[in-house]
Amino acid sequence: MGSEHFGQDYYPPLNRIRKHIIGDMEIEMIHQTRPGDCVLINFLNTYSIMHEGKIIMSPRELRDLVIEKRRQSGEDPGDILNDDQPLSYTDVVRLFSLVLGSRPKQEDIVTVRTDNLTRGQVENNIENGILEYLDTYQSGLCTTGLGYHSRSIWKLDADNYILIDPMNENGFEKKNRGQLVDFLANIMLNQPANNNFFFFLREENDEQ
């Protein structure tokens, strides 16, 4: 299994590119071994899966592009200049819009409040809310900000999903619908809406 290193050699271990096989495709993904940068790494991994299996740049190079975009928009980038500093919701939407190259709409962004709900209610909201909504997007793809960590969900078929997670040693994990509901409920339970963030990625011919 090949690997490459980004950045200078210091502790904790460096983020690494690893190669994996999904179906008949070889996919490069970054295993996040340092805190921070999860949005950047999740974007690079998600882009790799959707575009020929290649990591297109380092997390630092991508951060510099996000910083430049803020400056072009007249926004202060001071809070994201350094590695490991978290990006804002606006940064996330701008960045992940590049995965499929389609301009987002307001209805593509959903937050779910789960405080004061039972686990059964949360599971129902995921199964019959979030995942049914994902079904309406031809891409079958959304990115999430759950529990202060960035992941993406890609629907393969009626009962199978790929959970893209930079902290996962393999970069991703295949889950059936029930397993995904259980995983998301564990993270989302008793959280305010801004901690349960979903951004659904539309293709140009999505009609919503």
Side-chain angles (χ1 to χ4, degrees):
M1 183 177 296
S3 65
E4 297 176 17
H5 292 186
F6 290 137
Q8 298 176 346
D9 192 12
Y10 58 91
Y11 187 85
L14 301 170
N15 300 319
R16 294 182 175 91
I17 291 181
R18 295 184 173 183
K19 295 182 180 180
H20 306 282
I21 302 297
I22 301 179
D24 59 355
M25 299 184 300
E26 183 178 79
I27 303 292
E28 292 181 346
M29 303 189 85
I30 300 174
H31 174 213
Q32 182 186 355
T33 56
R34 300 175 51 218
D37 286 355
C38 63
V39 169
L40 300 168
I41 294 175
N42 185 34
F43 169 83
L44 292 167
N45 288 349
T46 302
Y47 196 93
S48 177
I49 280 185
M50 304 306 292
H51 296 276
E52 301 181 353
K54 299 296 182 183
I55 296 296
I56 55 175
M57 64 182 68
S58 73
R60 181 65 244 185
E61 289 171 323
L62 184 57
R63 178 179 290 276
D64 290 341
L65 291 180
V66 175
I67 290 168
E68 181 59 27
K69 183 61 178 178
R70 276 208 194 179
R71 287 175 172 147
Q72 290 173 357
S73 301
E75 301 167 11
D76 181 9
D79 61 315
I80 62 166
L81 292 175
N82 299 320
D83 292 339
D84 301 338
Q85 291 182 308
L87 304 188
S88 70
Y89 280 155
T90 300
D91 296 325
V92 171
V93 172
R94 283 177 182 156
L95 191 56
F96 276 86
S97 298
L98 300 176
V99 173
L100 299 178
S102 184
R103 183 182 298 274
K105 297 184 179 181
Q106 186 62 47
E107 58 264 33
D108 299 336
I109 302 168
V110 175
T111 56
V112 182
R113 183 169 185 159
T114 62
D115 48 339
N116 300 319
L117 297 183
T118 66
R119 183 183 176 89
Q121 290 171 321
V122 173
E123 290 176 347
N124 182 67
N125 286 346
I126 295 169
E127 177 108 35
N128 300 307
I130 293 297
L131 296 187
E132 283 195 2
Y133 195 53
L134 181 59
D135 289 343
T136 67
Y137 285 77
Q138 296 185 57
S139 69
L141 185 66
C142 73
T143 192
T144 71
L146 306 175
Y148 303 100
H149 185 56
S150 179
R151 304 172 182 87
S152 294
I153 299 168
W154 181 31
K155 182 177 180 179
L156 298 179
D157 55 44
D159 193 46
N160 291 289
Y161 300 80
I162 294 289
L163 179 68
I164 304 167
D165 184 346
M167 292 294 288
N168 185 308
E169 185 173 348
N170 291 322
F172 67 94
E173 184 175 0
K174 187 176 179 180
K175 292 183 180 291
N176 64 35
R177 194 175 182 93
Q179 290 169 333
L180 183 61
V181 170
D182 185 62
F183 177 86
L184 294 176
N186 285 338
I187 299 172
M188 294 171 62
L189 189 63
N190 297 319
Q191 294 295 321
N194 62 356
N195 286 352
N196 294 329
F197 169 79
F198 293 81
F199 175 32
F200 297 83
L201 304 188
R202 65 174 54 245
E203 295 184 349
E204 290 184 3
N205 53 354
D206 273 320
E207 295 181 0
Q208 293 195 43

